[in-house]
Amino acid sequence: MDSPANSVYDLTPDDWNSFVKEWGLPAFRAGQIQHWLYQQHVASFDEMTNLPLSLRERLGRSLRDLGGTARLREHSGSEGQTVKLLLELHDGECIETVLIPARGRNTVCISCQAGCAFDCAFCASGKRGLVRSLSPGEILAQVAHVARLLGERPGNIVFMGIGEPFANYDAVLAAVRQLNDPAGFGIGARHITISTCGVVPGIRRLAGEGLQVELSVSLHAPTNGQRNALMPVNKRWPLEDLLAACRDYTAATNRIITFEYTLIRDFNDRPSDAARLLELLRGLKCRVNLIPLSPVDEFAGEPPPARTLYGFRDALLREGLNATLRTSRGLNVNAACGQLRLQSAGRTENGAAR
Ligand code: SF4
């Protein structure tokens, strides 16, 4: 506890209770500190004005300061638009957090790892491999940054930034509980989405957690051959295993799964692909989010023309599958997963950015 290596956001409500006890403080101090952190979104201990100065100084000496958990390095986008933050962690690693304003509710897309081991073909994050996983506090610090920017807690949280949530399962679940806890950020579980590239053991484990969070699965292709070409994870857990885990998940939780399907011209956008997708998802409680491919340097594919996009969606709708076509948000700030970090790392390696 008394180590500056600890981030304040790594501490759970129970930790804060033990913390104040250990220091001989009245129990209510734990609630006061958490109120400043999670409801007032302060940027420093100095702003916790109802704490004695001696306590604020002691907190500052004992815990990594609030800004030090994830320091803002770059900020792109403007108010009312998609805003992308590049945050630097205490060891110099960088992560991205994206704020997406939509229909009066702010959504924050957060990272759970620095880099990623899964190497999906159209994703910049996987290109440098996994550097390390984030602690719960490093995940929560991203939300705190955005809350400060907004002046209020964000409405929705999606684990769709850098990293695979089920490859950092314990930290992600600890962060989810703190996001959801009324003494934490107090964000409803149904407003928190965990997105996986298809890590089957994670889906099976989440089914037993008793949480009401949303689960999103990146599907992107209706056959193993196509999916192997896009997502190496499919070689480990092919579609049969993935869909079996999804069916068991919906049976155990009674919750709907969202499948993300990126449409790529002449690759997975044909009527035969729509027919295979329908077959794959038949009888499963789910919805499908269709997303036209965002142009990225790492992948040569193109988005289909508008007529194909709508034709694909309508083919699913006609058969009763709940399908929506999502227009790409955030392209103006280079918000395809991982790009900002990769560019920054590239500049750093060339010696220009740090
Ligand atoms: S899409 Fe997600 S799982 Fe795939 S490489 Fe990118 S960050 Fe990793």
Side-chain angles (χ1 to χ4, degrees), residues 137-349:
E138 289 171 327
I139 295 170
L140 293 167
Q142 299 170 62
V143 181
H145 258 290
V146 174
R148 261 172 241 141
L149 206 68
L150 292 170
E152 61 182 16
R153 74 171 177 216
N156 295 308
I157 305 293
V158 294
F159 282 83
M160 290 185 182
I162 302 171
E164 161 55 49
F166 291 151
N168 188 17
Y169 189 96
D170 291 338
V172 166
L173 264 284
V176 164
R177 291 187 199 285
Q178 188 79 333
L179 287 168
N180 183 226
D181 195 315
F185 282 101
I187 297 170
R190 287 164 194 238
H191 295 290
I192 301 170
T193 300
I194 297 179
S195 174
T196 179
C197 65
V199 176
V200 164
I203 296 171
R204 294 202 173 279
R205 206 171 150 193
L206 186 69
E209 297 284 354
L211 285 168
Q212 299 288 304
V213 292
E214 300 292 327
L215 175 65
S216 158
V217 175
S218 299
L219 194 60
H220 302 317
T223 65
N224 281 322
Q226 286 163 297
R227 199 160 185 268
N228 285 345
L230 290 179
M231 306 178 75
V233 68
N234 197 69
K235 292 175 189 154
R236 177 93 187 266
W237 293 291
L239 283 170
E240 305 76 59
D241 296 357
L242 176 59
L243 271 295
C246 290
R247 285 179 197 280
D248 291 346
Y249 178 90
T250 57
T253 62
N254 206 27
R255 298 196 60 75
I256 286 179
I257 293 179
T258 300
F259 289 100
E260 308 286 343
Y261 190 102
T262 297
L263 283 158
I264 304 166
R265 186 173 193 158
D266 299 330
F267 177 78
N268 63 0
D269 64 343
R270 296 156 297 197
S272 57
D273 295 312
R276 284 196 195 99
L277 185 58
L278 280 162
E279 203 45 51
L280 209 57
L281 301 181
R282 197 167 300 283
L284 183 53
K285 278 178 78 163
C286 68
R287 68 174 75 87
V288 176
N289 251 342
L290 301 169
I291 314 140
L293 179 72
S294 298
V296 285
D297 291 345
E298 291 74 21
F299 185 68
E302 290 173 26
R307 214 176 58 177
T308 309
L309 294 173
Y310 287 104
F312 196 96
R313 182 199 62 181
D314 292 346
L316 303 185
L317 288 176
R318 269 197 304 277
E319 294 297 318
L321 190 60
N322 180 353
T324 50
L325 181 60
R326 200 167 76 191
T327 50
S328 297
R329 285 183 168 270
L331 282 177
N332 54 332
V333 287
N334 210 3
C337 178
Q339 277 186 295
L340 190 63
R341 178 180 175 276
L342 199 69
Q343 287 176 354
S344 170
R347 286 207 302 282
T348 303
E349 279 151 16

Side-chain angles (χ1 to χ4, degrees), residues 113 115-127 160-164 196-197 218 231 337:
Q113 296 183 301
C116 182
F118 285 84
D119 199 19
C120 302
F122 43 75
C123 173
S125 298
K127 300 305 164 204
M160 290 185 182
I162 302 171
E164 161 55 49
T196 179
C197 65
S218 299
M231 306 178 75
C337 178

Side-chain angles (χ1 to χ4, degrees), residues 76-78 80-84 98-101 329-333 335:
S76 50
S78 52
Q81 310 251 306
T82 298
V83 172
K84 195 159 186 175
V98 182
L99 166 63
I100 307 159
R329 285 183 168 270
L331 282 177
N332 54 332
V333 287

